[in-house]
Amino acid sequence: MNDEAEELGPIDYLIVEFPGNRMTGEGLPLLVDLVDRGLIRILDLTFVRKEEDGSVSGLEIADLTGDGELDLAVFEGASSGLLGQDDLEEAASALQPGSSAGILVYENRWAAPFAAALNRGGAQVVASGRIPVPALMAALDTTDDAR
């Protein structure tokens, strides 16, 4: 393992659907804050649209809020090359027709020193995953109902 890989945090992705192609940009300041604080590093940020006929097209970084400014200009050029056309098509398969999505690939920089320390000690991650919030809430509700 080379030094650069030893210092990488876990890499995650999100696909966020905007029904009816309605992007408000409300979450963008929070994303910028995560980057500014060094908690994450954006590797790829791209947008796709799924038309009513099911066809898929890429979207340019644009003025999402309609205030005349490019809302995502700070992320312009955020492309590591990890996402290919096949990834965009697969992401779009999760979308409803007439919707858009942001696809974000990011490094969890906060975890890099922890992961590097574990690696130096001979430990290795053998599994990882994510519990979707709706599944967590349903499990907690079930637990509460059982009491």
Side-chain angles (χ1 to χ4, degrees), residues 36-90:
D36 287 348
R37 291 190 295 146
L39 297 175
I40 67 169
R41 176 173 58 141
I42 295 178
L43 301 175
D44 279 292
L45 178 62
T46 190
F47 292 86
V48 296
R49 178 183 318 217
K50 186 172 187 177
E51 304 296 342
E52 292 294 339
D53 66 2
S55 62
V56 177
S57 60
L59 293 174
E60 293 296 319
I61 291 177
D63 176 13
L64 301 178
T65 58
D67 64 3
E69 300 206 12
L70 295 179
D71 300 304
L72 300 175
V74 68
F75 301 121
E76 197 164 20
S79 177
S80 66
L82 289 173
L83 294 175
Q85 185 61 36
D86 55 334
D87 297 312
L88 302 182
E89 298 278 340
E90 185 174 338

CSV table of all heavy atoms in Angstrom, one decimal, residues 36-90:
chain,number,residue,atom,x,y,z
A,36,ASP,N,-14.9,23.0,3.7
A,36,ASP,CA,-14.1,24.1,4.4
A,36,ASP,C,-13.5,23.6,5.7
A,36,ASP,O,-12.4,24.0,6.0
A,36,ASP,CB,-14.8,25.4,4.6
A,36,ASP,CG,-15.1,26.1,3.3
A,36,ASP,OD1,-14.5,25.8,2.2
A,36,ASP,OD2,-15.9,27.0,3.3
A,37,ARG,N,-14.2,22.8,6.4
A,37,ARG,CA,-13.7,22.3,7.7
A,37,ARG,C,-12.8,21.1,7.6
A,37,ARG,O,-12.3,20.6,8.6
A,37,ARG,CB,-14.9,22.0,8.7
A,37,ARG,CG,-15.6,23.3,9.1
A,37,ARG,CD,-16.6,23.1,10.2
A,37,ARG,NE,-17.7,22.2,9.8
A,37,ARG,CZ,-18.4,21.4,10.5
A,37,ARG,NH1,-18.0,21.2,11.8
A,37,ARG,NH2,-19.4,20.6,10.1
A,38,GLY,N,-12.7,20.6,6.4
A,38,GLY,CA,-11.8,19.5,6.2
A,38,GLY,C,-12.4,18.2,6.5
A,38,GLY,O,-11.6,17.2,6.7
A,39,LEU,N,-13.7,18.1,6.7
A,39,LEU,CA,-14.3,16.8,7.1
A,39,LEU,C,-14.5,15.9,5.9
A,39,LEU,O,-14.4,14.7,6.1
A,39,LEU,CB,-15.7,17.1,7.8
A,39,LEU,CG,-15.6,17.9,9.1
A,39,LEU,CD1,-17.0,18.2,9.5
A,39,LEU,CD2,-14.8,17.1,10.1
A,40,ILE,N,-14.7,16.5,4.7
A,40,ILE,CA,-14.8,15.7,3.5
A,40,ILE,C,-14.0,16.4,2.4
A,40,ILE,O,-13.7,17.6,2.5
A,40,ILE,CB,-16.3,15.5,3.0
A,40,ILE,CG1,-16.9,16.8,2.6
A,40,ILE,CG2,-17.1,14.8,4.1
A,40,ILE,CD1,-18.2,16.7,1.9
A,41,ARG,N,-13.7,15.6,1.4
A,41,ARG,CA,-13.1,16.1,0.2
A,41,ARG,C,-13.9,15.6,-1.0
A,41,ARG,O,-14.1,14.4,-1.1
A,41,ARG,CB,-11.6,15.6,0.0
A,41,ARG,CG,-11.0,16.0,-1.3
A,41,ARG,CD,-9.6,15.7,-1.4
A,41,ARG,NE,-9.3,14.3,-1.3
A,41,ARG,CZ,-8.4,13.6,-2.0
A,41,ARG,NH1,-7.7,14.2,-2.9
A,41,ARG,NH2,-8.3,12.3,-1.8
A,42,ILE,N,-14.4,16.4,-1.8
A,42,ILE,CA,-15.2,16.0,-2.9
A,42,ILE,C,-14.3,15.5,-4.0
A,42,ILE,O,-13.5,16.2,-4.5
A,42,ILE,CB,-16.1,17.2,-3.4
A,42,ILE,CG1,-17.1,17.5,-2.2
A,42,ILE,CG2,-16.9,16.8,-4.7
A,42,ILE,CD1,-18.0,18.7,-2.5
A,43,LEU,N,-14.6,14.3,-4.4
A,43,LEU,CA,-13.9,13.7,-5.6
A,43,LEU,C,-14.6,13.9,-6.9
A,43,LEU,O,-14.0,14.1,-7.9
A,43,LEU,CB,-13.6,12.2,-5.3
A,43,LEU,CG,-12.9,11.9,-4.0
A,43,LEU,CD1,-12.8,10.4,-3.8
A,43,LEU,CD2,-11.5,12.5,-4.1
A,44,ASP,N,-15.9,13.8,-6.8
A,44,ASP,CA,-16.8,14.0,-8.0
A,44,ASP,C,-18.1,14.6,-7.6
A,44,ASP,O,-18.7,14.2,-6.5
A,44,ASP,CB,-17.1,12.6,-8.7
A,44,ASP,CG,-15.9,12.2,-9.6
A,44,ASP,OD1,-15.7,12.8,-10.6
A,44,ASP,OD2,-15.3,11.2,-9.3
A,45,LEU,N,-18.6,15.5,-8.4
A,45,LEU,CA,-19.9,16.0,-8.2
A,45,LEU,C,-20.5,16.3,-9.6
A,45,LEU,O,-19.9,17.0,-10.4
A,45,LEU,CB,-19.9,17.3,-7.4
A,45,LEU,CG,-21.2,18.0,-7.2
A,45,LEU,CD1,-22.2,17.2,-6.4
A,45,LEU,CD2,-21.0,19.4,-6.5
A,46,THR,N,-21.5,15.6,-9.9
A,46,THR,CA,-22.1,15.7,-11.2
A,46,THR,C,-23.7,15.6,-11.0
A,46,THR,O,-24.2,15.2,-10.0
A,46,THR,CB,-21.6,14.7,-12.2
A,46,THR,OG1,-22.0,15.0,-13.5
A,46,THR,CG2,-22.1,13.3,-11.8
A,47,PHE,N,-24.4,16.1,-12.1
A,47,PHE,CA,-25.8,16.1,-12.0
A,47,PHE,C,-26.3,15.4,-13.3
A,47,PHE,O,-25.8,15.5,-14.4
A,47,PHE,CB,-26.4,17.5,-11.9
A,47,PHE,CG,-26.0,18.1,-10.6
A,47,PHE,CD1,-24.8,18.8,-10.4
A,47,PHE,CD2,-26.9,18.1,-9.6
A,47,PHE,CE1,-24.5,19.3,-9.2
A,47,PHE,CE2,-26.6,18.6,-8.4
A,47,PHE,CZ,-25.4,19.3,-8.2
A,48,VAL,N,-27.4,14.6,-13.1
A,48,VAL,CA,-28.1,14.0,-14.2
A,48,VAL,C,-29.6,14.3,-14.2
A,48,VAL,O,-30.1,14.6,-13.1
A,48,VAL,CB,-27.9,12.5,-14.2
A,48,VAL,CG1,-26.4,12.1,-14.4
A,48,VAL,CG2,-28.4,11.8,-13.0
A,49,ARG,N,-30.2,14.2,-15.3
A,49,ARG,CA,-31.6,14.4,-15.5
A,49,ARG,C,-32.2,13.2,-16.1
A,49,ARG,O,-31.7,12.7,-17.1
A,49,ARG,CB,-32.0,15.6,-16.3
A,49,ARG,CG,-33.5,15.9,-16.5
A,49,ARG,CD,-33.7,17.1,-17.4
A,49,ARG,NE,-32.8,18.1,-17.0
A,49,ARG,CZ,-33.1,19.4,-17.0
A,49,ARG,NH1,-34.3,19.8,-17.3
A,49,ARG,NH2,-32.2,20.3,-16.6
A,50,LYS,N,-33.3,12.7,-15.6
A,50,LYS,CA,-34.0,11.6,-16.3
A,50,LYS,C,-35.3,12.2,-16.8
A,50,LYS,O,-36.2,12.6,-16.1
A,50,LYS,CB,-34.3,10.5,-15.3
A,50,LYS,CG,-35.0,9.3,-15.9
A,50,LYS,CD,-35.1,8.1,-14.9
A,50,LYS,CE,-35.5,6.8,-15.5
A,50,LYS,NZ,-35.5,5.8,-14.5
A,51,GLU,N,-35.4,12.2,-18.1
A,51,GLU,CA,-36.6,12.7,-18.8
A,51,GLU,C,-37.8,11.8,-18.7
A,51,GLU,O,-37.7,10.7,-18.2
A,51,GLU,CB,-36.3,12.9,-20.3
A,51,GLU,CG,-35.0,13.8,-20.6
A,51,GLU,CD,-35.2,15.2,-20.1
A,51,GLU,OE1,-36.3,15.7,-19.9
A,51,GLU,OE2,-34.1,15.9,-20.0
A,52,GLU,N,-38.9,12.3,-19.0
A,52,GLU,CA,-40.2,11.5,-18.9
A,52,GLU,C,-40.1,10.3,-19.7
A,52,GLU,O,-40.7,9.3,-19.4
A,52,GLU,CB,-41.4,12.4,-19.3
A,52,GLU,CG,-41.7,13.5,-18.4
A,52,GLU,CD,-42.2,13.1,-17.0
A,52,GLU,OE1,-42.6,11.9,-16.8
A,52,GLU,OE2,-42.0,13.9,-16.0
A,53,ASP,N,-39.4,10.3,-20.9
A,53,ASP,CA,-39.3,9.1,-21.7
A,53,ASP,C,-38.2,8.1,-21.2
A,53,ASP,O,-37.9,7.1,-21.9
A,53,ASP,CB,-39.0,9.5,-23.2
A,53,ASP,CG,-37.6,10.2,-23.4
A,53,ASP,OD1,-36.8,10.3,-22.4
A,53,ASP,OD2,-37.4,10.6,-24.5
A,54,GLY,N,-37.5,8.5,-20.1
A,54,GLY,CA,-36.5,7.6,-19.5
A,54,GLY,C,-35.1,7.9,-20.0
A,54,GLY,O,-34.2,7.3,-19.5
A,55,SER,N,-34.9,8.8,-21.0
A,55,SER,CA,-33.6,9.1,-21.4
A,55,SER,C,-32.9,9.9,-20.3
A,55,SER,O,-33.5,10.5,-19.5
A,55,SER,CB,-33.6,9.9,-22.7
A,55,SER,OG,-34.3,11.1,-22.6
A,56,VAL,N,-31.5,9.8,-20.4
A,56,VAL,CA,-30.7,10.4,-19.3
A,56,VAL,C,-29.7,11.3,-20.0
A,56,VAL,O,-29.1,11.1,-21.0
A,56,VAL,CB,-29.9,9.3,-18.6
A,56,VAL,CG1,-29.0,9.9,-17.5
A,56,VAL,CG2,-30.9,8.3,-17.9
A,57,SER,N,-29.6,12.5,-19.3
A,57,SER,CA,-28.6,13.5,-19.8
A,57,SER,C,-27.9,14.1,-18.6
A,57,SER,O,-28.4,14.2,-17.5
A,57,SER,CB,-29.3,14.6,-20.7
A,57,SER,OG,-30.2,15.3,-19.9
A,58,GLY,N,-26.7,14.6,-18.8
A,58,GLY,CA,-25.9,15.3,-17.8
A,58,GLY,C,-26.4,16.7,-17.7
A,58,GLY,O,-26.9,17.3,-18.7
A,59,LEU,N,-26.2,17.3,-16.5
A,59,LEU,CA,-26.6,18.7,-16.3
A,59,LEU,C,-25.3,19.5,-16.0
A,59,LEU,O,-24.5,19.0,-15.3
A,59,LEU,CB,-27.6,18.8,-15.1
A,59,LEU,CG,-29.0,18.3,-15.3
A,59,LEU,CD1,-29.7,18.4,-14.0
A,59,LEU,CD2,-29.7,19.0,-16.4
A,60,GLU,N,-25.3,20.7,-16.5
A,60,GLU,CA,-24.1,21.6,-16.2
A,60,GLU,C,-24.3,22.2,-14.8
A,60,GLU,O,-25.5,22.4,-14.4
A,60,GLU,CB,-24.0,22.7,-17.3
A,60,GLU,CG,-23.7,22.1,-18.7
A,60,GLU,CD,-22.3,21.5,-18.7
A,60,GLU,OE1,-21.4,22.0,-18.1
A,60,GLU,OE2,-22.2,20.5,-19.4
A,61,ILE,N,-23.2,22.5,-14.2
A,61,ILE,CA,-23.3,23.3,-13.0
A,61,ILE,C,-24.0,24.6,-13.3
A,61,ILE,O,-23.6,25.3,-14.3
A,61,ILE,CB,-21.9,23.5,-12.4
A,61,ILE,CG1,-21.4,22.1,-11.9
A,61,ILE,CG2,-21.9,24.5,-11.3
A,61,ILE,CD1,-20.0,22.1,-11.3
A,62,ALA,N,-25.0,25.0,-12.6
A,62,ALA,CA,-25.8,26.1,-13.0
A,62,ALA,C,-26.3,26.9,-11.8
A,62,ALA,O,-26.0,26.6,-10.6
A,62,ALA,CB,-27.0,25.6,-13.8
A,63,ASP,N,-27.1,27.9,-12.1
A,63,ASP,CA,-27.7,28.8,-11.1
A,63,ASP,C,-29.0,28.0,-10.7
A,63,ASP,O,-30.0,28.2,-11.3
A,63,ASP,CB,-28.0,30.1,-11.8
A,63,ASP,CG,-28.8,31.0,-10.8
A,63,ASP,OD1,-28.9,30.7,-9.6
A,63,ASP,OD2,-29.3,32.0,-11.3
A,64,LEU,N,-28.9,27.3,-9.6
A,64,LEU,CA,-30.0,26.4,-9.2
A,64,LEU,C,-31.0,27.3,-8.5
A,64,LEU,O,-32.2,26.9,-8.5
A,64,LEU,CB,-29.5,25.3,-8.2
A,64,LEU,CG,-28.4,24.4,-8.8
A,64,LEU,CD1,-28.0,23.4,-7.7
A,64,LEU,CD2,-29.0,23.7,-10.0
A,65,THR,N,-30.7,28.3,-7.8
A,65,THR,CA,-31.6,29.1,-7.0
A,65,THR,C,-32.2,30.2,-7.8
A,65,THR,O,-33.1,30.9,-7.3
A,65,THR,CB,-30.9,29.7,-5.8
A,65,THR,OG1,-29.8,30.5,-6.1
A,65,THR,CG2,-30.5,28.5,-4.8
A,66,GLY,N,-31.7,30.5,-9.0
A,66,GLY,CA,-32.3,31.6,-9.8
A,66,GLY,C,-31.9,33.0,-9.4
A,66,GLY,O,-32.5,34.0,-9.8
A,67,ASP,N,-30.8,33.1,-8.6
A,67,ASP,CA,-30.4,34.4,-8.1
A,67,ASP,C,-29.3,35.1,-9.0
A,67,ASP,O,-28.8,36.1,-8.7
A,67,ASP,CB,-29.9,34.4,-6.7
A,67,ASP,CG,-28.7,33.5,-6.5
A,67,ASP,OD1,-28.1,33.0,-7.5
A,67,ASP,OD2,-28.2,33.4,-5.4
A,68,GLY,N,-29.0,34.4,-10.2
A,68,GLY,CA,-28.1,35.0,-11.1
A,68,GLY,C,-26.6,34.6,-10.8
A,68,GLY,O,-25.7,35.0,-11.6
A,69,GLU,N,-26.4,33.8,-9.8
A,69,GLU,CA,-25.0,33.3,-9.5
A,69,GLU,C,-24.9,31.8,-9.6
A,69,GLU,O,-25.9,31.1,-9.3
A,69,GLU,CB,-24.7,33.7,-8.0
A,69,GLU,CG,-24.7,35.3,-7.9
A,69,GLU,CD,-23.8,35.7,-6.8
A,69,GLU,OE1,-23.0,34.9,-6.3
A,69,GLU,OE2,-23.9,36.9,-6.4
A,70,LEU,N,-23.8,31.4,-10.0
A,70,LEU,CA,-23.6,29.9,-10.1
A,70,LEU,C,-23.4,29.4,-8.7
A,70,LEU,O,-22.4,29.6,-8.0
A,70,LEU,CB,-22.3,29.6,-11.0
A,70,LEU,CG,-22.4,30.0,-12.4
A,70,LEU,CD1,-21.0,29.7,-13.1
A,70,LEU,CD2,-23.5,29.3,-13.1
A,71,ASP,N,-24.4,28.6,-8.3
A,71,ASP,CA,-24.4,28.1,-6.9
A,71,ASP,C,-23.3,27.1,-6.7
A,71,ASP,O,-22.9,26.9,-5.6
A,71,ASP,CB,-25.8,27.4,-6.7
A,71,ASP,CG,-26.9,28.5,-6.8
A,71,ASP,OD1,-26.9,29.5,-6.1
A,71,ASP,OD2,-27.8,28.2,-7.6
A,72,LEU,N,-22.9,26.4,-7.7
A,72,LEU,CA,-21.9,25.3,-7.5
A,72,LEU,C,-20.6,25.7,-8.1
A,72,LEU,O,-19.7,24.8,-8.3
A,72,LEU,CB,-22.5,24.0,-8.2
A,72,LEU,CG,-23.8,23.5,-7.6
A,72,LEU,CD1,-24.2,22.3,-8.4
A,72,LEU,CD2,-23.6,23.1,-6.2
A,73,ALA,N,-20.3,27.0,-8.4
A,73,ALA,CA,-19.1,27.4,-9.0
A,73,ALA,C,-17.9,26.9,-8.1
A,73,ALA,O,-16.8,26.6,-8.7
A,73,ALA,CB,-19.0,28.9,-9.2
A,74,VAL,N,-18.1,26.9,-6.8
A,74,VAL,CA,-17.0,26.4,-5.9
A,74,VAL,C,-16.6,25.0,-6.2
A,74,VAL,O,-15.5,24.6,-6.0
A,74,VAL,CB,-17.4,26.6,-4.4
A,74,VAL,CG1,-18.5,25.7,-4.0
A,74,VAL,CG2,-16.2,26.5,-3.5
A,75,PHE,N,-17.5,24.2,-6.8
A,75,PHE,CA,-17.2,22.8,-7.1
A,75,PHE,C,-16.9,22.5,-8.6
A,75,PHE,O,-16.8,21.4,-9.0
A,75,PHE,CB,-18.4,21.9,-6.7
A,75,PHE,CG,-18.7,22.0,-5.2
A,75,PHE,CD1,-19.9,22.4,-4.8
A,75,PHE,CD2,-17.7,21.7,-4.3
A,75,PHE,CE1,-20.2,22.5,-3.4
A,75,PHE,CE2,-17.9,21.8,-2.9
A,75,PHE,CZ,-19.2,22.2,-2.5
A,76,GLU,N,-16.9,23.6,-9.4
A,76,GLU,CA,-16.6,23.5,-10.8
A,76,GLU,C,-15.3,22.7,-11.0
A,76,GLU,O,-14.3,23.1,-10.3
A,76,GLU,CB,-16.6,24.8,-11.5
A,76,GLU,CG,-16.8,24.7,-13.0
A,76,GLU,CD,-17.1,26.1,-13.6
A,76,GLU,OE1,-16.9,27.1,-12.9
A,76,GLU,OE2,-17.6,26.0,-14.7
A,77,GLY,N,-15.3,21.7,-11.8
A,77,GLY,CA,-14.1,20.9,-12.0
A,77,GLY,C,-13.9,19.8,-11.0
A,77,GLY,O,-12.8,19.2,-11.1
A,78,ALA,N,-14.8,19.6,-10.1
A,78,ALA,CA,-14.7,18.5,-9.1
A,78,ALA,C,-14.9,17.2,-9.8
A,78,ALA,O,-16.1,16.7,-9.8
A,78,ALA,CB,-15.6,18.7,-7.9
A,79,SER,N,-13.9,16.7,-10.4
A,79,SER,CA,-14.1,15.4,-11.2
A,79,SER,C,-12.8,14.6,-11.1
A,79,SER,O,-11.8,15.1,-11.7
A,79,SER,CB,-14.5,15.7,-12.6
A,79,SER,OG,-14.6,14.5,-13.3
A,80,SER,N,-12.8,13.5,-10.4
A,80,SER,CA,-11.7,12.7,-10.3
A,80,SER,C,-11.6,11.7,-11.5
A,80,SER,O,-10.6,11.0,-11.7
A,80,SER,CB,-11.7,11.9,-9.0
A,80,SER,OG,-12.8,11.0,-9.1
A,81,GLY,N,-12.7,11.6,-12.3
A,81,GLY,CA,-12.7,10.6,-13.3
A,81,GLY,C,-13.3,9.2,-12.8
A,81,GLY,O,-13.3,8.3,-13.6
A,82,LEU,N,-13.7,9.2,-11.6
A,82,LEU,CA,-14.2,7.9,-11.1
A,82,LEU,C,-15.5,7.5,-11.7
A,82,LEU,O,-15.9,6.4,-11.9
A,82,LEU,CB,-14.4,8.0,-9.5
A,82,LEU,CG,-13.1,8.0,-8.7
A,82,LEU,CD1,-13.4,8.2,-7.2
A,82,LEU,CD2,-12.4,6.7,-8.9
A,83,LEU,N,-16.3,8.6,-12.0
A,83,LEU,CA,-17.7,8.3,-12.5
A,83,LEU,C,-17.6,8.3,-14.0
A,83,LEU,O,-17.2,9.3,-14.7
A,83,LEU,CB,-18.7,9.4,-12.1
A,83,LEU,CG,-19.0,9.5,-10.6
A,83,LEU,CD1,-19.8,10.7,-10.3
A,83,LEU,CD2,-19.7,8.2,-10.1
A,84,GLY,N,-18.1,7.2,-14.6
A,84,GLY,CA,-18.3,7.1,-16.0
A,84,GLY,C,-19.7,7.2,-16.5
A,84,GLY,O,-20.6,7.3,-15.6
A,85,GLN,N,-20.0,7.2,-17.7
A,85,GLN,CA,-21.3,7.2,-18.3
A,85,GLN,C,-22.2,6.1,-17.7
A,85,GLN,O,-23.3,6.2,-17.4
A,85,GLN,CB,-21.3,7.2,-19.8
A,85,GLN,CG,-22.7,7.4,-20.4
A,85,GLN,CD,-23.4,8.7,-20.1
A,85,GLN,OE1,-22.7,9.7,-19.9
A,85,GLN,NE2,-24.7,8.7,-19.9
A,86,ASP,N,-21.6,4.9,-17.6
A,86,ASP,CA,-22.3,3.7,-17.0
A,86,ASP,C,-22.8,4.0,-15.6
A,86,ASP,O,-23.9,3.6,-15.2
A,86,ASP,CB,-21.5,2.5,-17.1
A,86,ASP,CG,-20.1,2.5,-16.5
A,86,ASP,OD1,-19.6,3.6,-16.4
A,86,ASP,OD2,-19.6,1.5,-16.1
A,87,ASP,N,-21.9,4.7,-14.8
A,87,ASP,CA,-22.3,5.1,-13.5
A,87,ASP,C,-23.5,6.0,-13.5
A,87,ASP,O,-24.4,5.9,-12.6
A,87,ASP,CB,-21.2,5.7,-12.7
A,87,ASP,CG,-20.0,4.7,-12.5
A,87,ASP,OD1,-20.2,3.6,-12.1
A,87,ASP,OD2,-18.9,5.1,-12.9
A,88,LEU,N,-23.5,7.0,-14.4
A,88,LEU,CA,-24.6,8.0,-14.5
A,88,LEU,C,-25.9,7.3,-14.9
A,88,LEU,O,-26.9,7.6,-14.3
A,88,LEU,CB,-24.2,9.1,-15.5
A,88,LEU,CG,-22.9,9.9,-15.2
A,88,LEU,CD1,-22.8,11.0,-16.2
A,88,LEU,CD2,-22.9,10.4,-13.8
A,89,GLU,N,-25.8,6.3,-15.8
A,89,GLU,CA,-27.0,5.6,-16.2
A,89,GLU,C,-27.5,4.8,-15.1
A,89,GLU,O,-28.7,4.7,-14.8
A,89,GLU,CB,-26.6,4.7,-17.4
A,89,GLU,CG,-26.1,5.4,-18.6
A,89,GLU,CD,-27.3,5.9,-19.5
A,89,GLU,OE1,-28.4,5.4,-19.3
A,89,GLU,OE2,-27.0,6.8,-20.3
A,90,GLU,N,-26.6,4.1,-14.3
A,90,GLU,CA,-27.0,3.3,-13.2
A,90,GLU,C,-27.7,4.2,-12.1
A,90,GLU,O,-28.7,3.8,-11.5
A,90,GLU,CB,-25.9,2.5,-12.6
A,90,GLU,CG,-26.3,1.6,-11.5
A,90,GLU,CD,-25.2,0.7,-11.0
A,90,GLU,OE1,-24.2,0.5,-11.7
A,90,GLU,OE2,-25.3,0.2,-9.8
